[in-house]
Amino acid sequence: MSGNTIGKIFCLTTFGESHGEATGGVIDGCPAGLDIDYSFIQKELDRRKPGQSDIVTVRKEPDKVEFISGIFKGKTLGTPIGFIIKNTNQHTEDYEYLKNVFRPSHADYTYQKKYGIRDYRGGGRASARETVARVVAGAVAKLVLNKYKISINGYVSQIGDIKLNKNYKELDLSDIENNIVRCPDQSVANKMIDMLRKVKSENDSIGGIVSCVVKGVAPGLGEPVFDKLNADLAKAMLSINTAKGFDYGSGFENIKLKGSEQNDIFMAKNGKVSTITNYSGGIQGGISNGEDIYFRVAFKPVATILKKQKTVDIHGDNVEFEPKGRHDICVLPRAVPVVEAMAAIVLLDHLLRNKTCRL
Amino acid sequence: MSGNTIGKIFCLTTFGESHGEATGGVIDGCPAGLDIDYSFIQKELDRRKPGQSDIVTVRKEPDKVEFISGIFKGKTLGTPIGFIIKNTNQHTEDYEYLKNVFRPSHADYTYQKKYGIRDYRGGGRASARETVARVVAGAVAKLVLNKYKISINGYVSQIGDIKLNKNYKELDLSDIENNIVRCPDQSVANKMIDMLRKVKSENDSIGGIVSCVVKGVAPGLGEPVFDKLNADLAKAMLSINTAKGFDYGSGFENIKLKGSEQNDIFMAKNGKVSTITNYSGGIQGGISNGEDIYFRVAFKPVATILKKQKTVDIHGDNVEFEPKGRHDICVLPRAVPVVEAMAAIVLLDHLLRNKTCRL
Amino acid sequence: MSGNTIGKIFCLTTFGESHGEATGGVIDGCPAGLDIDYSFIQKELDRRKPGQSDIVTVRKEPDKVEFISGIFKGKTLGTPIGFIIKNTNQHTEDYEYLKNVFRPSHADYTYQKKYGIRDYRGGGRASARETVARVVAGAVAKLVLNKYKISINGYVSQIGDIKLNKNYKELDLSDIENNIVRCPDQSVANKMIDMLRKVKSENDSIGGIVSCVVKGVAPGLGEPVFDKLNADLAKAMLSINTAKGFDYGSGFENIKLKGSEQNDIFMAKNGKVSTITNYSGGIQGGISNGEDIYFRVAFKPVATILKKQKTVDIHGDNVEFEPKGRHDICVLPRAVPVVEAMAAIVLLDHLLRNKTCRL
Amino acid sequence: MSGNTIGKIFCLTTFGESHGEATGGVIDGCPAGLDIDYSFIQKELDRRKPGQSDIVTVRKEPDKVEFISGIFKGKTLGTPIGFIIKNTNQHTEDYEYLKNVFRPSHADYTYQKKYGIRDYRGGGRASARETVARVVAGAVAKLVLNKYKISINGYVSQIGDIKLNKNYKELDLSDIENNIVRCPDQSVANKMIDMLRKVKSENDSIGGIVSCVVKGVAPGLGEPVFDKLNADLAKAMLSINTAKGFDYGSGFENIKLKGSEQNDIFMAKNGKVSTITNYSGGIQGGISNGEDIYFRVAFKPVATILKKQKTVDIHGDNVEFEPKGRHDICVLPRAVPVVEAMAAIVLLDHLLRNKTCRL
């Protein structure tokens, strides 16, 4: 009810402020009998963690997950999987200077207005630090989805005005991890990296788009009418910090195409039904149709920029403010595993929900 | 759990297939003591109903809502408000020819694969007919929101490649209902209407964008971290038939702008805090900040086009198919009240949720 | 959230005031492909309906259910099943004399205090009329449970101080429907009927106990730790009007027995594990163990008695009050199908939930 | 969905196996701005903890709670409160001998059948160790309820056949903590303690009843029709390990009383409405009426007894089994704070829910 849980059967609840002792989560509804591949989970965390390259924040966090429950001798028990990731960085900076100021385009003001109190050490609960718990749950979900041959691949398809003008089918998704920006086209990646270094030198920040492709989903996932698969994906993606938009299939970009141009014609071949085109993005009437699911998530620039800005303080006075510390100039490279994690959580939840719909 | 309910406190459950006896809903959690303005609710339904102009389907449905419970002597009781809208049109066409065919880009195939059975009379549960119940609930929600001085205005901002290139602040939103396409700029509206008539003459269909502005929302609505106000709006919008995308504030369109260009600077004036710009779209950290909330929803063209198309039937054979009857060529004009209704439902739900967050 | 829905996968939402146009419900999450046996459903409603004998209210209601959605050609679609039962009796009595008075031990006072408004025509939403929708949903649930060979039998085991002093294993449950009080032991039934006629002649009312036995439940239903099968049964039973208590297995009655006396010893025989005794009532650690589930529900006397009683009115004045009309003197015979219906809803919900717990 | 969460607004999710690293929980929906009284919370834990007297298990656990999130400078933030209690005792005994055996009247068999796997070190997730997290959340809830002058007092009213034959109004509830059995009548307490010592000497176990009184609840808490206050209390109580029954108000014990004898007559005095008697137990139509709420919970004897018993092993063979270690012979004294905690959670949840029901 207070918004810290997502999912109906495979459920993730997260807790933790960015500069508290730890960030954690509880995964409830993970099927029993799953082999937990700890090194895979850590690898996913490493894709999200700070300090992995010069285009993301140089802040260091080991981001080691400690599982507290729900796993016995390497297998899930069917009981809730509690876990924490210690915030090792929480005492290294003095955040008292943030105590009374509302940083522009941050959540300081809205939390204060909502709750009458806030943890002013960094973003508190509104910090992107919270997404570390999502990546843990997403990694567990991926381990289950693997059993169903479902794969999820996100990549950076736009940063600022540098855009990857290719359909995902023209790309080799196995190249995504081959560069620090996580764009599978190396030449575009190079331009993105150059731009990010330039933005960094200007003490500014920049946004972009993460695209994501899900392969191997059988027909039938998604619930009419409100919990359409696309609706739940939209919610999951917009719940990520700084996300500003979501579209799937033909999306915003193909609005000029008419019905005759974007209807996906069914074709039967060797007993298998598929569609010739896939403007539907693998989802029709809110339910997967067996084709690839693909969608995009728009992210705004990081609000923290190392410049002096005008703002307002807790007393309602106009003040000036300049942030300290080390910050991302662009969340996109680190957002890729978070987008994938949220997709994994939604897909597994719907996969489990779908087990109950027929006699 | 099966996806037919939206909301946590103000909850709407809908039921009904398009060609069954009736479409209906249950509103649970509407505050007690609300005066029900029946003529306002009917007016909202009339904005959605078919047959209102030559650019939407000419099919006729009176769309009269019958309230069954939860209202006594014109006031809400706090108990569930059950209602139905009879489907008067359900016997006028013979749908047997749809029995075995999967219409392209419709939900026939996915429902059949999910449930092993479907109501083939029209779209059944996947029909946009279901949105009539959303408009009823949205109208009730608007009656409550009126008490809080919250207004919601949707309008058509793009059809095909005809785009309204103005910010909502440059528009007079009271002009929205002055033309049949629901675009508040009359000259753009004329172009849209011309295009729709042309698409109609071609037996084709076309999509577009609905923009929506919410004014009067106090700071504090929205729940971290998964039930962010923007996340719940995204889900609600993507749950509407044929919706393909959602963005809010800077969205997909302002990705080239840097942090220094799109941070919203707070300013205090006469004891009131506001932001100079509003790239945040009225939501920061998932919580309303008191500025206008604005967002866009992309809709694909209607899948039904009065042309012969190839497809597959229930036996897995390749066949040809040509629809009969009267259909919308573009959902946009009729989608405006649906977008507003879903926004109203989400906002009222969060307004009520917000009553519990402080001691 | 407002309490009008029960279940997580197989969900029932009810609506309707006792003297409004209709009482209704929405069943969401019923598996697709179920053959609806309308005559069975009506038979269940007939077991609950008023006027069936001289020991229950002589008020007449046909209690015919009209299904609005979710069923096509006699089979469930997997979509929500909306239904209504018209309240044919709603205009036959004048309820204005109840407008300002709070009837003793009724819900008039609490509804007025909670909502600031109430439907004073009879019990409104608090009326036992609401249980008619539960019986419809329970009958649908039973149709599914039949496929799993699960049977549910309730019976009256106590009325006032007349008690059926036999374990359910000593009874022939097929005798339950052979008398109007629904007690499977005819000699005890006769005593109960005599007592009820005496209570009726005194214009008084009386309570009692319904016992219920569920056979055929496989091991594994029930979710640790809060949604234990026994916990969800307890909630479902206590949600029935005038229910005051629930126990299962050894319950309140065997508290004097020590652990050595009531531990249920497992025994393997021909590859099948069972317990020699069944003090556990078929549930261990909140999960079914394959043995019979049995429980009891205590009901207080009906609050309406045809006597003058002191009470308070809406203005806070002490007044006298005497009810009019025809009322049950004892809910027990008609509560039996309601207890069974609630048990069926809980069991089916857990049966469906259990489909998702293993890899 | 998997049953590890209770509440709709004030929600507790628990996690942890008895012999894992820790037991923990997440409280979501606690109002912001609450002063956390750590010593009060610890005091509540101390009432539940093992080793507090010779009539409970002599096993020692410090049961110190560590809060991880949601509290800043001693005040709640409105964000989720994550916490853990380390299981210091988890390596002191060898549980391998339990690996293949299903202990009688324990949850070993049902967990194995449900999940195909179980943590056999003690009761795992089914252990009463899980209730330590409930006591933490209950203590936090009590801190909020204190602000509303709501008090909750549980006490042991029966052990075996030794029964406290007094109404709660005849007792001095401040005496509850004055003896180790938590019975406010010292002479009955003495008999209970004698009995417990005798049962201990016999290596047997015994059950009983906890009674609980809630004072200070304003009218209006509870939601019709399924989430009646009594229904949610019943569920919460039956979710406690070894609980077998629940009743409130007139309950099972007053079934012989007729309507004329147990209707609670309203009376107005000095502008305040109350009832002369309180057979309703403070709840009418599922909603609190302002009178004291009182209820009883029946607990069966602890299943573990230090005797050799027959049982079945994981291979389906008949075997003999004798437990090792130190165990409670009776949960009642330690169940009192758990009953109170669950009552506090339910009441606070409904108190918060009730904030949204009126315009």
Side-chain angles (χ1 to χ4, degrees):
Chain A
M1 247 302 301
S2 295
N4 297 287
T5 300
I6 195 163
K8 293 276 173 80
I9 291 188
F10 184 86
C11 299
L12 170 65
T13 301
T14 71
F15 56 92
E17 280 69 48
S18 61
H19 289 73
E21 190 195 334
T23 296
V26 183
I27 301 166
D28 200 11
C30 186
L34 177 73
D35 288 306
I36 291 294
D37 180 341
Y38 294 101
S39 68
F40 172 74
I41 295 170
Q42 191 58 50
K43 209 191 74 192
E44 291 288 281
L45 283 168
D46 291 347
R47 292 173 71 210
R48 196 213 72 100
K49 84 173 172 188
Q52 59 185 284
S53 78
D54 71 315
I55 59 168
V56 301
T57 177
V58 296
R59 190 160 34 82
K60 293 277 188 195
E61 294 266 7
D63 282 354
K64 295 285 177 203
V65 61
E66 302 170 35
F67 288 102
I68 295 170
S69 66
I71 302 168
F72 183 56
K73 303 202 166 184
K75 279 187 188 291
T76 55
L77 287 165
T79 58
I81 301 170
F83 61 88
I84 57 170
I85 303 99
K86 296 229 173 85
N87 297 328
T88 57
N89 215 26
Q90 81 262 38
H91 299 302
T92 52
E93 286 164 290
D94 182 3
Y95 283 84
E96 287 297 309
Y97 79 109
L98 293 176
K99 187 173 176 178
N100 292 324
V101 78
F102 299 131
R103 292 169 298 161
S105 285
H106 273 278
D108 302 341
Y109 177 73
T110 52
Y111 270 64
Q112 187 72 39
K113 291 299 264 187
K114 184 176 186 73
Y115 297 112
I117 183 177
R118 75 180 207 279
D119 180 347
Y120 51 75
R121 297 167 301 167
R125 183 69 180 145
S127 166
R129 176 99 196 119
E130 183 267 345
T131 61
V132 72
R134 302 181 182 211
V135 172
V136 173
V140 172
K142 281 182 175 182
L143 291 173
V144 183
L145 294 175
N146 283 347
K147 304 272 178 195
Y148 292 85
K149 313 278 187 219
I150 295 172
S151 68
I152 300 172
N153 284 104
Y155 58 90
V156 175
S157 58
Q158 187 169 344
I159 287 187
D161 54 7
I162 299 174
K163 195 170 172 180
L164 175 58
N165 279 312
K166 285 180 181 165
N167 186 289
Y168 75 88
K169 293 196 172 176
E170 305 167 62
L171 300 168
D172 184 347
L173 300 179
S174 69
D175 283 336
I176 295 169
E177 296 297 313
N178 288 345
N179 58 62
I180 55 176
V181 79
R182 296 201 166 87
C183 172
D185 180 308
Q186 191 60 49
S187 72
V188 178
N190 291 340
K191 285 183 204 158
M192 288 174 172
I193 293 166
D194 287 348
M195 176 189 247
L196 290 174
R197 288 182 180 142
K198 183 161 174 295
V199 169
K200 188 177 184 178
S201 72
E202 295 165 353
N203 286 337
D204 214 328
S205 64
I206 190 80
I209 295 175
V210 170
S211 293
C212 188
V213 185
V214 186
K215 291 170 175 285
V217 177
L221 305 202
E223 300 289 329
V225 292
F226 295 114
D227 295 356
K228 290 183 163 85
L229 188 54
N230 42 307
D232 277 355
L233 284 169
K235 172 168 175 161
M237 297 307 147
L238 264 296
S239 81
I240 303 172
N241 307 49
T242 78
K244 301 298 283 189
F246 167 90
D247 66 5
Y248 78 105
S250 53
F252 278 100
E253 297 213 307
N254 293 290
I255 278 169
K256 59 193 175 304
L257 296 184
K258 293 182 185 158
S260 60
E261 294 167 308
Q262 68 172 275
N263 273 358
D264 294 321
I265 302 304
F266 286 112
M267 193 181 53
K269 204 171 160 182
N270 305 326
K272 196 187 169 314
V273 172
S274 59
T275 61
I276 296 174
T277 52
N278 185 16
Y279 286 104
S280 298
I283 303 172
Q284 293 176 325
I287 301 170
S288 62
N289 68 354
E291 304 298 313
D292 295 342
I293 295 169
Y294 62 96
F295 60 86
R296 303 186 306 156
V297 189
F299 291 93
K300 67 160 190 164
V302 174
T304 299
I305 51 176
L306 297 176
K307 292 177 188 294
K308 188 172 288 185
Q309 295 174 91
K310 290 187 174 173
T311 192
V312 164
D313 70 11
I314 206 168
H315 311 297
D317 293 327
N318 291 303
V319 296
E320 287 204 324
F321 165 77
E322 187 169 351
K324 303 177 187 172
R326 293 153 300 174
H327 299 276
D328 280 294
I329 45 163
C330 178
V331 298
L332 274 289
R334 294 178 58 209
V336 168
V338 180
V339 165
E340 290 178 9
M342 294 312 295
I345 291 167
V346 169
L347 283 160
L348 178 53
D349 189 40
H350 276 284
L351 191 150
L352 295 171
R353 289 170 77 170
N354 197 46
K355 284 177 183 281
T356 68
C357 76
R358 287 209 205 186
L359 203 57
Chain B
M1 245 304 300
S2 296
N4 297 287
T5 300
I6 194 162
K8 295 277 173 79
I9 291 188
F10 184 85
C11 298
L12 171 65
T13 301
T14 71
F15 56 92
E17 281 69 47
S18 61
H19 289 73
E21 188 195 336
T23 297
V26 184
I27 302 166
D28 200 10
C30 184
L34 177 71
D35 288 307
I36 291 294
D37 180 341
Y38 294 101
S39 67
F40 172 74
I41 295 171
Q42 192 57 51
K43 211 190 73 190
E44 291 288 279
L45 283 168
D46 291 346
R47 293 173 72 209
R48 196 213 73 100
K49 84 173 171 188
Q52 58 185 282
S53 75
D54 72 314
I55 58 169
V56 301
T57 177
V58 295
R59 191 161 31 81
K60 292 277 185 193
E61 293 265 8
D63 283 357
K64 294 285 174 201
V65 61
E66 301 169 36
F67 288 101
I68 295 169
S69 66
I71 301 170
F72 184 56
K73 305 201 166 185
K75 279 186 186 294
T76 56
L77 287 165
T79 59
I81 301 170
F83 62 88
I84 56 169
I85 302 99
K86 295 227 172 86
N87 295 330
T88 58
N89 214 25
Q90 81 263 38
H91 299 302
T92 53
E93 285 164 291
D94 181 4
Y95 283 85
E96 287 298 308
Y97 79 108
L98 293 176
K99 187 172 175 177
N100 292 324
V101 77
F102 298 131
R103 292 169 298 162
S105 285
H106 272 278
D108 302 341
Y109 176 74
T110 52
Y111 270 65
Q112 186 73 39
K113 292 299 263 187
K114 184 177 186 73
Y115 298 112
I117 182 176
R118 76 180 206 282
D119 180 347
Y120 51 76
R121 298 168 301 166
R125 183 70 181 145
S127 166
R129 176 98 197 119
E130 183 266 344
T131 60
V132 72
R134 303 182 182 211
V135 172
V136 173
V140 172
K142 280 183 176 183
L143 290 174
V144 183
L145 294 174
N146 282 346
K147 305 270 179 196
Y148 291 86
K149 313 277 186 220
I150 295 173
S151 68
I152 301 173
N153 286 103
Y155 58 91
V156 175
S157 57
Q158 187 169 345
I159 287 188
D161 55 5
I162 299 175
K163 195 171 173 179
L164 174 58
N165 278 314
K166 286 180 181 167
N167 186 289
Y168 75 89
K169 292 195 173 177
E170 304 167 62
L171 300 169
D172 183 347
L173 300 179
S174 69
D175 283 335
I176 294 171
E177 295 297 313
N178 289 343
N179 58 62
I180 56 176
V181 80
R182 294 200 167 88
C183 172
D185 180 305
Q186 191 61 47
S187 71
V188 178
N190 290 341
K191 286 182 205 157
M192 288 173 171
I193 293 166
D194 287 348
M195 175 188 246
L196 289 174
R197 289 184 179 140
K198 182 161 176 294
V199 169
K200 189 178 184 180
S201 72
E202 294 166 354
N203 286 335
D204 214 328
S205 65
I206 191 79
I209 295 176
V210 171
S211 293
C212 190
V213 184
V214 186
K215 291 171 176 285
V217 178
L221 304 201
E223 300 290 327
V225 292
F226 295 114
D227 296 356
K228 290 182 164 86
L229 188 55
N230 41 306
D232 277 354
L233 284 169
K235 170 166 176 162
M237 297 307 146
L238 265 296
S239 80
I240 303 173
N241 307 51
T242 78
K244 301 299 283 188
F246 166 90
D247 67 4
Y248 79 105
S250 54
F252 278 99
E253 296 213 306
N254 293 290
I255 277 168
K256 59 194 176 303
L257 296 185
K258 293 182 183 160
S260 60
E261 293 167 308
Q262 67 171 275
N263 274 358
D264 294 319
I265 301 304
F266 286 111
M267 191 181 53
K269 202 170 161 184
N270 305 326
K272 197 187 169 315
V273 172
S274 58
T275 62
I276 296 173
T277 52
N278 184 17
Y279 287 104
S280 299
I283 303 172
Q284 293 177 326
I287 301 170
S288 63
N289 69 354
E291 305 297 314
D292 295 342
I293 294 169
Y294 62 97
F295 60 85
R296 301 185 308 156
V297 189
F299 291 92
K300 69 159 189 165
V302 174
T304 299
I305 51 175
L306 297 175
K307 292 177 190 290
K308 190 171 286 185
Q309 294 174 91
K310 292 186 174 175
T311 191
V312 164
D313 70 10
I314 205 167
H315 311 298
D317 294 326
N318 291 304
V319 294
E320 287 204 325
F321 165 77
E322 187 169 353
K324 300 177 188 171
R326 292 153 299 176
H327 298 277
D328 279 294
I329 47 165
C330 178
V331 298
L332 275 288
R334 294 177 59 206
V336 167
V338 180
V339 165
E340 290 178 10
M342 295 310 296
I345 290 167
V346 169
L347 283 160
L348 178 53
D349 189 40
H350 276 284
L351 190 151
L352 295 171
R353 291 170 76 170
N354 196 46
K355 284 177 182 282
T356 67
C357 77
R358 287 207 201 188
L359 202 60
Chain C
M1 246 303 300
S2 296
N4 297 287
T5 300
I6 194 162
K8 294 279 174 78
I9 291 189
F10 184 85
C11 298
L12 171 65
T13 300
T14 71
F15 56 92
E17 280 69 47
S18 61
H19 289 72
E21 188 194 336
T23 297
V26 184
I27 302 165
D28 201 11
C30 184
L34 177 71
D35 288 307
I36 291 295
D37 180 341
Y38 294 101
S39 67
F40 172 74
I41 295 170
Q42 191 58 51
K43 209 191 73 191
E44 291 289 279
L45 284 168
D46 291 346
R47 294 172 72 210
R48 195 213 74 101
K49 83 173 171 188
Q52 59 185 280
S53 78
D54 72 314
I55 59 168
V56 302
T57 177
V58 295
R59 191 160 31 82
K60 292 276 186 195
E61 294 265 7
D63 283 356
K64 294 286 175 200
V65 61
E66 302 169 34
F67 288 102
I68 295 170
S69 66
I71 302 169
F72 184 57
K73 304 200 166 186
K75 277 187 188 290
T76 57
L77 288 165
T79 57
I81 300 170
F83 62 88
I84 56 170
I85 302 99
K86 296 228 171 85
N87 295 330
T88 57
N89 214 25
Q90 80 261 37
H91 299 301
T92 52
E93 286 165 289
D94 182 2
Y95 283 85
E96 286 299 307
Y97 79 107
L98 293 176
K99 188 172 176 177
N100 291 325
V101 78
F102 298 132
R103 293 170 296 161
S105 284
H106 273 277
D108 303 340
Y109 176 73
T110 54
Y111 270 65
Q112 186 73 39
K113 291 300 262 186
K114 184 177 186 72
Y115 297 112
I117 182 176
R118 76 181 206 281
D119 180 348
Y120 51 76
R121 298 168 300 167
R125 183 70 181 147
S127 166
R129 175 98 197 121
E130 184 267 344
T131 60
V132 72
R134 304 181 182 210
V135 172
V136 173
V140 172
K142 281 182 175 182
L143 290 174
V144 183
L145 294 173
N146 282 347
K147 305 271 177 195
Y148 292 87
K149 313 275 186 223
I150 296 172
S151 68
I152 301 172
N153 284 104
Y155 57 91
V156 174
S157 58
Q158 187 169 346
I159 287 188
D161 54 6
I162 300 175
K163 194 171 173 178
L164 174 58
N165 278 313
K166 286 181 180 165
N167 186 290
Y168 74 90
K169 294 195 172 176
E170 303 167 63
L171 300 168
D172 184 346
L173 300 179
S174 69
D175 283 335
I176 295 171
E177 296 297 313
N178 289 342
N179 57 62
I180 55 176
V181 80
R182 296 200 165 87
C183 172
D185 181 305
Q186 191 60 49
S187 71
V188 178
N190 291 340
K191 286 182 203 158
M192 288 174 172
I193 293 166
D194 288 347
M195 175 189 247
L196 289 174
R197 289 183 178 141
K198 184 162 174 295
V199 168
K200 189 177 184 178
S201 72
E202 295 166 352
N203 287 334
D204 213 327
S205 65
I206 190 81
I209 294 177
V210 170
S211 292
C212 188
V213 184
V214 186
K215 291 171 175 284
V217 178
L221 304 202
E223 301 289 327
V225 294
F226 296 113
D227 296 356
K228 289 183 164 85
L229 189 54
N230 42 308
D232 278 354
L233 284 170
K235 171 168 176 162
M237 297 308 147
L238 265 295
S239 80
I240 302 173
N241 307 50
T242 76
K244 301 299 284 188
F246 166 92
D247 67 4
Y248 78 105
S250 53
F252 278 99
E253 296 212 307
N254 293 290
I255 277 169
K256 59 195 175 304
L257 296 184
K258 292 181 184 161
S260 59
E261 294 167 308
Q262 66 172 275
N263 274 356
D264 294 319
I265 301 304
F266 286 112
M267 191 182 54
K269 201 170 160 183
N270 305 325
K272 196 187 169 317
V273 173
S274 59
T275 62
I276 296 172
T277 51
N278 184 17
Y279 287 104
S280 297
I283 303 173
Q284 292 176 325
I287 300 171
S288 63
N289 68 353
E291 304 298 315
D292 296 340
I293 294 168
Y294 62 97
F295 60 87
R296 302 186 308 156
V297 189
F299 291 92
K300 68 160 189 165
V302 174
T304 299
I305 51 176
L306 297 176
K307 292 177 189 291
K308 191 172 285 185
Q309 292 173 92
K310 291 187 175 174
T311 190
V312 164
D313 70 11
I314 205 168
H315 311 298
D317 293 326
N318 291 303
V319 294
E320 288 204 323
F321 163 79
E322 186 169 352
K324 302 176 188 170
R326 294 154 298 175
H327 298 277
D328 279 294
I329 48 165
C330 177
V331 297
L332 274 288
R334 294 178 58 207
V336 168
V338 180
V339 165
E340 289 178 11
M342 294 312 295
I345 291 167
V346 169
L347 283 159
L348 178 53
D349 190 40
H350 276 285
L351 190 150
L352 295 171
R353 291 170 76 170
N354 196 45
K355 285 177 182 280
T356 68
C357 77
R358 287 208 201 186
L359 204 59
Chain D
M1 246 305 300
S2 294
N4 297 286
T5 301
I6 195 164
K8 294 276 173 80
I9 291 187
F10 184 85
C11 299
L12 171 66
T13 300
T14 72
F15 55 92
E17 280 69 48
S18 63
H19 289 74
E21 188 194 335
T23 298
V26 184
I27 302 166
D28 200 10
C30 184
L34 177 73
D35 289 307
I36 291 294
D37 180 340
Y38 295 101
S39 68
F40 171 74
I41 296 169
Q42 192 57 52
K43 210 190 75 190
E44 291 288 280
L45 283 168
D46 291 347
R47 294 173 70 209
R48 195 212 74 100
K49 85 173 173 188
Q52 58 186 281
S53 77
D54 72 314
I55 58 169
V56 301
T57 177
V58 296
R59 190 161 32 82
K60 292 278 187 193
E61 294 266 6
D63 283 354
K64 294 286 176 201
V65 60
E66 301 169 34
F67 288 102
I68 295 169
S69 65
I71 302 168
F72 184 56
K73 303 202 166 185
K75 279 186 187 292
T76 56
L77 287 164
T79 59
I81 300 170
F83 61 88
I84 57 171
I85 302 98
K86 296 229 171 84
N87 295 329
T88 56
N89 214 26
Q90 82 262 37
H91 299 301
T92 52
E93 285 165 290
D94 183 3
Y95 283 84
E96 287 298 309
Y97 80 108
L98 293 176
K99 187 173 176 176
N100 292 325
V101 78
F102 298 131
R103 294 168 297 161
S105 285
H106 273 276
D108 302 343
Y109 176 72
T110 53
Y111 270 65
Q112 187 73 39
K113 293 298 263 187
K114 183 177 187 72
Y115 298 112
I117 182 175
R118 76 179 205 280
D119 180 349
Y120 51 74
R121 298 166 301 166
R125 183 70 180 145
S127 165
R129 175 100 196 116
E130 183 267 344
T131 60
V132 72
R134 303 181 182 212
V135 172
V136 173
V140 171
K142 280 182 175 181
L143 291 173
V144 183
L145 294 174
N146 283 346
K147 304 274 177 192
Y148 291 86
K149 313 279 188 216
I150 296 172
S151 68
I152 301 172
N153 284 103
Y155 58 90
V156 175
S157 57
Q158 187 169 344
I159 287 187
D161 55 5
I162 300 175
K163 194 170 171 178
L164 174 58
N165 279 312
K166 284 180 183 166
N167 186 289
Y168 76 88
K169 292 196 174 178
E170 305 167 60
L171 299 169
D172 183 348
L173 300 179
S174 68
D175 282 336
I176 295 171
E177 296 297 313
N178 288 344
N179 58 62
I180 55 176
V181 81
R182 295 200 166 88
C183 172
D185 180 306
Q186 190 61 48
S187 73
V188 178
N190 290 341
K191 288 182 202 158
M192 289 173 171
I193 293 166
D194 287 348
M195 176 190 245
L196 289 174
R197 288 183 180 142
K198 183 162 176 294
V199 169
K200 189 178 185 177
S201 73
E202 296 165 353
N203 286 337
D204 214 327
S205 64
I206 191 79
I209 295 176
V210 170
S211 294
C212 188
V213 184
V214 186
K215 291 170 176 284
V217 177
L221 304 202
E223 300 288 328
V225 294
F226 295 114
D227 295 357
K228 289 182 164 85
L229 188 55
N230 41 307
D232 278 354
L233 284 169
K235 171 167 176 162
M237 297 308 147
L238 264 295
S239 80
I240 302 172
N241 307 49
T242 77
K244 302 297 284 188
F246 166 90
D247 67 4
Y248 79 105
S250 53
F252 278 100
E253 298 212 306
N254 293 289
I255 276 169
K256 59 192 175 305
L257 296 186
K258 292 181 185 161
S260 60
E261 293 167 309
Q262 67 172 276
N263 273 358
D264 293 319
I265 302 304
F266 286 112
M267 192 182 54
K269 202 171 160 183
N270 304 326
K272 198 186 168 312
V273 171
S274 59
T275 61
I276 295 173
T277 52
N278 183 17
Y279 286 104
S280 298
I283 303 173
Q284 294 175 325
I287 302 171
S288 63
N289 69 353
E291 305 298 313
D292 294 342
I293 295 168
Y294 62 95
F295 59 86
R296 304 186 305 157
V297 190
F299 291 92
K300 68 160 189 163
V302 174
T304 299
I305 52 176
L306 296 176
K307 292 177 186 293
K308 189 172 287 187
Q309 295 173 92
K310 292 188 173 172
T311 191
V312 164
D313 71 11
I314 206 167
H315 311 299
D317 293 327
N318 292 304
V319 295
E320 287 203 326
F321 163 78
E322 187 170 353
K324 303 177 187 171
R326 295 152 299 174
H327 298 276
D328 278 294
I329 45 163
C330 178
V331 298
L332 274 288
R334 293 178 59 209
V336 167
V338 181
V339 165
E340 289 178 9
M342 295 311 295
I345 290 167
V346 169
L347 283 160
L348 179 53
D349 190 40
H350 276 284
L351 190 150
L352 295 171
R353 291 170 75 169
N354 197 45
K355 284 176 183 281
T356 69
C357 77
R358 287 209 203 184
L359 202 59

